[in-house]
Structure formats: structure tokens, C-alpha cells
């Protein structure tokens, strides 16, 4: 039998029967009478052995349970958690932002509440009572200023946990890095108020006389108020951010969305006003739409979303302004069906050839989206196509056809004369037309978009299960 097994058996023997044969433990000193043939092991030699055996057994148990059995389960649970968190990635964080108070209101409320703090009851000495009151009021003032700031920091989400669409809205609306900078400044103000408040409260608690305690209280309140007022603008900046983000339209990822896209001033906002409950501004100048505007359509007792987006110009993505990038963010991060609007009348300020190039670029980039083309202002279309002075002669056959009637399959409408709103001409070729209602086509498009969303959700659920 090995020495380790002997040690283990030894741990199992009661302390009253610790008798082993002398042949196995020759170093034993306490001996029984010779006729017993047994030796006694001293107690002081048993404690290290017992502790050693207990440590070995405990460590082995942890290694076995930590390395072999649970390791595979831990990986599976981690994978399931990652998949479930990916599925829960949704929008709506901006509507959960806290109501941020103006810095002036926070300060006045803190001063008012701090003055109500009374000294601890039972202090007979006037000096001790006054310094107790001063320390407690300074501590209360510090906490009344710090608690709202800490609440704001905990309630505002971090960008990395937001939906990609909402991250794009923050960057394009507030400026790149401005969101994190303001939150960092608020946290710096919080730490500074805590430091100054604790310092002056401790200083006031060491006062020796009543007058000294009163002077240190006044000095501490003045210093805390000065520190807060010096950096109070960051709280007002956070208030502005909260108002701006809460005003962003809420997009339901489970509801089919129709996104109107096109060059500036082609009539997208007019169509949104006609088709949905949305009431965007309509003016005769480019970039009337300065943000993402949301409306709703109710067709056959079903509710759908309609989004008006800023216009796109003919230029590379690096040269686009933030309004154009908002449009691309909607198309990139939201499951939308596209209603692309063309204006061939020459009234929008963008030439038909430039619109054609923009259209081809967007069509190729977002080819996986469901698509419907509409030519607006059809009452202004002339028999001969409009040609800008800066344009070259149309030698491209597809471009020449586009100048005259728009893309193949485009629907012609006019909001101003109401021509085509109740009955739209669907162009199947340059010679053949047949009437079709616009809302019917839009309803078909959104119904297809709903089926597409459900199919994607079903595939995600199957991935999580497997």
C-alpha cells in the first residue's frame, strides 16, 4: 500500500483509536507495553497530515467539478446568452431617457433642502451642536447635487449597447463624440462636487467654537455653489441632448416601414402628407426635411409606418452632409421598403441625368430592399424631356428613356393637381398604360415587407434554438 493511501486511511481513524503497527511507523516514540506489539503516534505529528489531506481532497474536488463536467455546459450557456442578446437588440432607448432638470433648478433645490437639515438631538454644547449642524448641512448639500447627476449617468445608455440606427442618429444629430464628451463632463462635475463637499464638511466638523462653525459652513456652501456653477453648463448640455433624442421618431422594427427616398425637393414630403398621418414641412427649396419624419398608414385595418428622409445629391459618401447620411443610415439599419421618388419636370433643381445616377447608385447598394418607383409632378411633364444646360446630349438609351418617363414600372402622380392620386398610371412600357390605385400598390409592398420581417424573425429564432 502506498504512503498516500496510508495517510488517507489515517485521516479516517478517530482520534481515540490512533494506534498503528510499529512496522509501518517506526518513528513513533510513545509505546504501549511490549505484549501489545503496538505503538502510539504523538498528536502533534497528526495535525499537519490531517490538514494536508483535507487540502488535497478539497482541491481535487474543485478541479474535477471545474474542469470536466461544467466546462461544456458553460460554453453552451454563453453561446445561448450571446444569441439571445443579439435578438434583443432593438430600438426605443431614447424614449427611456430621464427628465433632466436645469442646473439652476438642481442647485436651488439642493440649497433649500440642505438648509432644513437640523443638528443631532441631544447635543447640549452649543459649539458641538453648531459644528454638527454645519457638517450635516454641507454633506446634505453635496448629496443633493450629486445624486441627480449620478442618476443621469446611470440612465443614459452607452453607445455600444444601442441599436446601430440609434448610434447613427446620435453621431449625425449631435456630432461625433459629443454625446460621450458631455456625459464625461457631467461625471467630472459629480466627482468634483463630492471632493469639495467632503473636504468642507470635515473641516466644519473640526470647528472649536460656534462662530467658527458658522463661518466654515458659510464658506463651504459658497465654495460648493461656486464649483457647481462653474461647470453647470454641462448639465444644461445634457438637458439639450435628452430633449433632442426624445424628439427622434420611434421606429417599430416589427412593423413594416415605407421609406421615401429621392433627390431634394422632388415631392417626398407631399406624398407623405397625402399617404399617411405624417405632416412634414413642404416648401419649394432643397433640404426642407431636416431630419427623419415618421407617419402611419392604415390599410385594411393594418397599421404601417411611413418615413420621410432628407434628399440625396450626386456625390460620394465622404462629401455628403449629415442630412444625407441620415437617409443612408435609415436604409442601412432599418428593415424598410423603398418608395423612390423621381422629378423629371426640372422643378426640383436636380437634373434628370443626376437623378438617374443617384437612383442607379442607391438601387445597386440597397438591392435587397423591396422597391417601388414613383414619378411625381406628372402634370408638369412635357412631351419633350427637360434638358439642363449643364447636361450633355443623351446618348445613353436607358438615360434617354428615363428622361422621358422615368424607370420602367414607375407610377406617375401629381399631388398639386391630384392627378393620379386616386388612379395611378403604371408604366409597363413606353406605349402601354393601365390604371392602378397607388394605395393598392403601397399596401402590396408593405404586406410583402411584413412577410419578409416575419421570415427573418423565424430564422433568428431557429438559430437560437439550434
Amino acid at each position: 500500500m502506498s504512503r498516500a493511501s496510508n495517510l488517507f486511511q489515517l485521516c479516517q481513524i478517530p482520534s481515540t483509536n490512533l494506534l498503528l503497527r510499529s512496522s509501518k511507523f517506526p518513528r513513533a516514540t510513545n509505546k504501549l507495553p511490549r505484549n501489545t506489539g503496538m505503538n502510539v503516534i504523538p498528536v502533534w505529528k497528526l495535525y499537519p497530515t490531517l490538514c494536508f489531506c483535507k487540502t488535497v481532497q478539497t482541491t481535487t474536488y474543485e478541479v474535477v467539478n471545474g474542469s470536466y463536467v461544467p466546462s461544456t455546459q458553460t460554453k453552451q450557456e454563453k453561446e445561448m446568452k450571446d444569441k439571445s442578446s443579439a435578438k434583443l437588440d432593438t430600438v426605443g432607448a431614447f424614449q427611456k431617457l430621464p427628465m433632466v432638470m436645469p442646473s439652476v433648478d438642481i442647485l436651488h433645490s439642493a440649497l433649500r433642502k440642505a438648509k432644513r437639515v437640523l443638528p443631532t438631538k441631544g447635543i447640549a454644547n452649543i459649539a458641538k451642536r453648531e459644528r454638527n449642524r454645519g457638517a450635516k448641512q454641507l454633506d446634505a448639500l453635496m448629496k443633493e447635487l450629486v445624486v441627480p447627476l449620478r442618476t443621469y449617468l446611470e440612465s443614459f445608455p452607452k453607445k455600444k449597447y444601442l441599436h446601430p440606427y440609434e448610434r447613427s442618429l446620435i453621431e449625425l444629430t449631435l456630432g461625433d463624440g459629443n454625446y460621450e464628451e458631455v456625459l464625461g463632463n457631467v461625471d467630472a462635475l459629480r466627482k468634483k462636487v463630492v471632493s469639495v463637499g467632503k473636504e468642507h464638511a470635515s473641516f466644519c466638523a473640526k470647528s472649536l467654537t460656534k462662530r467658527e462653525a458658522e463661518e466654515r459652513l458659510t464658506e463651504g456652501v459658497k465654495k460648493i455653489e461656486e464649483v457647481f456653477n462653474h461647470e453647470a453648463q454641462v448639465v444644461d448640455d445634457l438637458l439639450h441632448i435628452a430633449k433632442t433624442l426624445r424628439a427622434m421618431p420611434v421606429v417599430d422594427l416589427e412593423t413594416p416601414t415605407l421609406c421615401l427616398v429621392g433627390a431634394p425637393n422632388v415631392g417626398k414630403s407631399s406624398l407623405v402628407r397625402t399617404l399617411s398621418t405624417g405632416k412634414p414641412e413642404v416648401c419649394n427649396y432643397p433640404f426642407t426635411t431636416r431630419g427623419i419624419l415618421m407617419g402611419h398608414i392604415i390599410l385594411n385595418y393594418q397599421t404601417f409606418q411611413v418615413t420621410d428622409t432628407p434628399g440625396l445629391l450626386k456625390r460620394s459618401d465622404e462629401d455628403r452632409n449629415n442630412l444625407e447620411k441620415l437617409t443612408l443610415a435609415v436604409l442601412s439599419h432599418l428593415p424598410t421598403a423603398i418608395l423612390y421618388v423621381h422629378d423629371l419636370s426640372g422643378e426640383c433643381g436636380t437634373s434628370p441625368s443626376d437623378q438617374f445616377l443617384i437612383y442607379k447608385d442607391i438601387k445597386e447598394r440597397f438591392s435587397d430592399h423591396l422597391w417601388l418607383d414613383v414619378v411625381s409632378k406628372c402634370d408638369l411633364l412635357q412631351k419633350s424631356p427637360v434638358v439642363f444646360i449643364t447636361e450633355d446630349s443623351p446618348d445613353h438609351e436607358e438615360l434617354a428613356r428615363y428622361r422621358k418617363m422615368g424607370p420602367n414600372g414607375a407610377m406617375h402622380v401629381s399631388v398639386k393637381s391630384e392627378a393620379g392620386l386616386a388612379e395611378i398610371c403604371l408604366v409597363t412600357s413606353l406605349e402601354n398604360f393601365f390604371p392602378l390605385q397607388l394605395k393598392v400598390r403601397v399596401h402590396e409592398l408593405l404586406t410583402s415587407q411584413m412577410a419578409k420581417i416575419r421570415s427573418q424573425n423565424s430564422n433568428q429564432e431557429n438559430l437560437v434554438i439550434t
Side-chain angles (χ1 to χ4, degrees), residues 17-132:
N17 299 321
L18 293 176
L19 299 176
L20 298 175
R21 296 184 179 278
S22 59
S23 59
K24 293 185 178 179
F25 294 93
R27 294 186 180 182
T29 56
N30 297 337
K31 297 182 179 180
L32 292 174
R34 294 183 179 180
N35 56 356
T36 60
M38 304 292 291
N39 294 334
V40 180
I41 296 178
V43 176
W44 63 269
K45 288 188 177 183
L46 293 176
Y47 289 141
T49 307
L50 290 173
C51 296
F52 172 75
C53 293
K54 183 177 181 181
T55 304
V56 170
Q57 292 301 311
T58 304
T59 306
T60 306
Y61 178 81
E62 291 176 353
V63 170
V64 170
N65 282 285
S67 299
Y68 295 101
V69 180
S71 60
T72 307
Q73 295 178 356
T74 303
K75 291 180 180 179
Q76 292 176 353
E77 291 174 359
K78 186 177 181 181
E79 292 175 358
M80 292 287 291
K81 189 182 231 180
D82 294 340
K83 290 180 181 179
S84 62
S85 62
K87 182 184 176 183
L88 294 176
D89 190 18
T90 183
V91 297
F94 296 158
Q95 279 59 47
K96 301 175 184 177
L97 295 178
M99 299 298 296
V100 180
M101 293 175 59
S103 58
V104 177
D105 294 347
I106 295 177
L107 179 60
H108 288 174
S109 175
L111 290 171
R112 185 172 62 254
K113 292 179 180 179
K115 288 181 180 179
R116 298 175 184 170
V117 176
L118 300 176
T120 304
K121 293 182 179 181
I123 301 178
N125 185 280
I126 298 177
K128 290 182 179 181
R129 184 168 63 248
E130 193 61 30
R131 72 188 183 193
N132 177 267

Side-chain angles (χ1 to χ4, degrees), residues 140-335:
L141 176 60
M142 179 266 293
K143 291 180 178 178
E144 290 295 334
L145 293 174
V146 167
V147 168
L149 301 183
R150 184 175 65 241
T151 302
Y152 300 153
L153 292 171
E154 293 173 352
S155 302
F156 274 76
K158 295 183 179 180
K159 274 178 59 177
K160 63 180 181 180
Y161 299 128
L162 292 174
H163 189 275
Y165 168 67
E166 292 180 326
R167 286 201 298 268
S168 300
L169 287 182
I170 287 180
E171 295 171 0
L172 299 175
T173 306
L174 304 177
D176 191 14
N178 187 44
Y179 180 80
E180 298 91 335
E181 181 182 357
V182 171
L183 290 177
N185 292 337
V186 171
D187 191 37
L189 173 60
R190 180 190 65 82
K191 293 178 180 178
K192 191 176 297 184
V193 171
V194 169
S195 175
V196 174
K198 288 184 176 181
E199 177 184 354
H200 283 270
S202 175
F203 191 51
C204 184
K206 298 176 183 178
S207 303
L208 300 178
T209 64
K210 176 184 177 182
R211 182 175 180 180
E212 185 180 10
E214 291 176 346
E215 290 177 353
R216 291 182 176 181
L217 171 61
T218 303
E219 180 185 355
V221 171
K222 183 178 179 180
K223 184 62 177 179
I224 294 175
E225 187 176 354
E226 179 183 342
V227 168
F228 186 83
N229 283 329
H230 186 263
E231 303 290 340
Q233 183 59 41
V234 299
V235 180
D236 297 328
D237 292 341
L238 190 65
L239 171 61
H240 173 71
I241 288 177
K243 287 183 176 179
T244 303
L245 296 181
R246 273 198 301 269
M248 295 291 176
V250 182
V251 180
D252 184 3
L253 299 182
E254 301 297 327
T255 303
T257 304
L258 182 68
C259 182
L260 277 76
V261 186
N265 204 28
V266 295
K268 300 185 296 296
S269 299
S270 299
L271 285 175
V272 169
R273 293 174 68 94
T274 303
L275 290 173
S276 72
T277 59
K279 302 299 177 186
E281 183 182 359
V282 177
C283 296
N284 189 24
Y285 56 81
F287 293 110
T288 306
T289 304
R290 301 181 185 88
I292 305 300
L293 302 177
M294 184 68 64
H296 293 85
I297 299 178
I298 300 178
L299 298 172
N300 293 346
Y301 305 102
Q302 291 179 309
T303 302
F304 304 99
Q305 299 172 137
V306 179
T307 303
D308 186 17
T309 59
L312 298 172
L313 295 175
K314 176 195 168 187
R315 50 188 173 188
S316 62
D317 290 346
E318 293 76 13
D319 298 329
R320 296 192 185 280
N321 56 36
N322 285 350
L323 294 178
E324 295 176 273
K325 291 178 180 179
L326 276 177
T327 301
L328 297 179
V330 171
L331 299 179
S332 300
H333 303 307
L334 296 181

Side-chain angles (χ1 to χ4, degrees), residues 372-373 375 401 405-412 424-436 441:
L372 177 62
D373 291 305
V375 176
R401 185 170 62 250
M405 300 301 298
N408 285 339
M411 306 176 71
H412 289 218
I424 309 301
C425 289
L426 176 64
V427 182
T428 56
S429 65
L430 293 180
E431 295 82 10
N432 301 325
F433 302 88
F434 65 92
L436 190 66
R441 285 299 305 273

Side-chain angles (χ1 to χ4, degrees), residues 273-457:
R273 293 174 68 94
T274 303
L275 290 173
S276 72
T277 59
K279 302 299 177 186
E281 183 182 359
V282 177
C283 296
N284 189 24
Y285 56 81
F287 293 110
T288 306
T289 304
R290 301 181 185 88
I292 305 300
L293 302 177
M294 184 68 64
H296 293 85
I297 299 178
I298 300 178
L299 298 172
N300 293 346
Y301 305 102
Q302 291 179 309
T303 302
F304 304 99
Q305 299 172 137
V306 179
T307 303
D308 186 17
T309 59
L312 298 172
L313 295 175
K314 176 195 168 187
R315 50 188 173 188
S316 62
D317 290 346
E318 293 76 13
D319 298 329
R320 296 192 185 280
N321 56 36
N322 285 350
L323 294 178
E324 295 176 273
K325 291 178 180 179
L326 276 177
T327 301
L328 297 179
V330 171
L331 299 179
S332 300
H333 303 307
L334 296 181
T336 59
I338 297 177
L339 179 67
Y340 200 96
V341 184
H342 311 260
D343 180 10
L344 308 180
S345 65
E347 296 288 326
C348 67
T350 305
S351 65
S353 60
D354 285 349
Q355 290 188 58
F356 176 75
L357 295 176
I358 299 170
Y359 168 73
K360 297 294 287 185
D361 178 35
I362 300 300
K363 180 83 172 180
E364 181 180 356
R365 188 183 305 187
F366 301 102
S367 58
D368 57 331
H369 287 57
L370 299 179
W371 202 281
L372 177 62
D373 291 305
V374 170
V375 176
S376 65
K377 308 176 186 179
C378 65
D379 57 313
L380 301 178
L381 292 180
Q382 303 174 4
K383 294 182 179 180
S384 58
V386 176
V387 179
F388 281 45
I389 299 176
T390 56
E391 293 184 279
D392 298 329
S393 57
D395 52 355
H396 192 278
E397 180 179 354
E398 186 179 3
L399 175 58
R401 185 170 62 250
Y402 175 86
R403 288 172 184 267
K404 187 176 180 180
M405 300 301 298
N408 285 339
M411 306 176 71
H412 289 218
V413 300
S414 173
V415 175
K416 184 176 181 180
S417 65
E418 297 185 358
L421 290 181
E423 189 175 74
I424 309 301
C425 289
L426 176 64
V427 182
T428 56
S429 65
L430 293 180
E431 295 82 10
N432 301 325
F433 302 88
F434 65 92
L436 190 66
Q437 290 185 353
L438 175 61
K439 287 190 176 182
V440 172
R441 285 299 305 273
V442 169
H443 183 255
E444 291 176 353
L445 187 69
L446 292 174
T447 302
S448 301
Q449 179 66 18
M450 178 181 288
K452 184 177 180 181
I453 292 175
R454 289 176 177 173
S455 176
Q456 292 175 348
N457 292 341

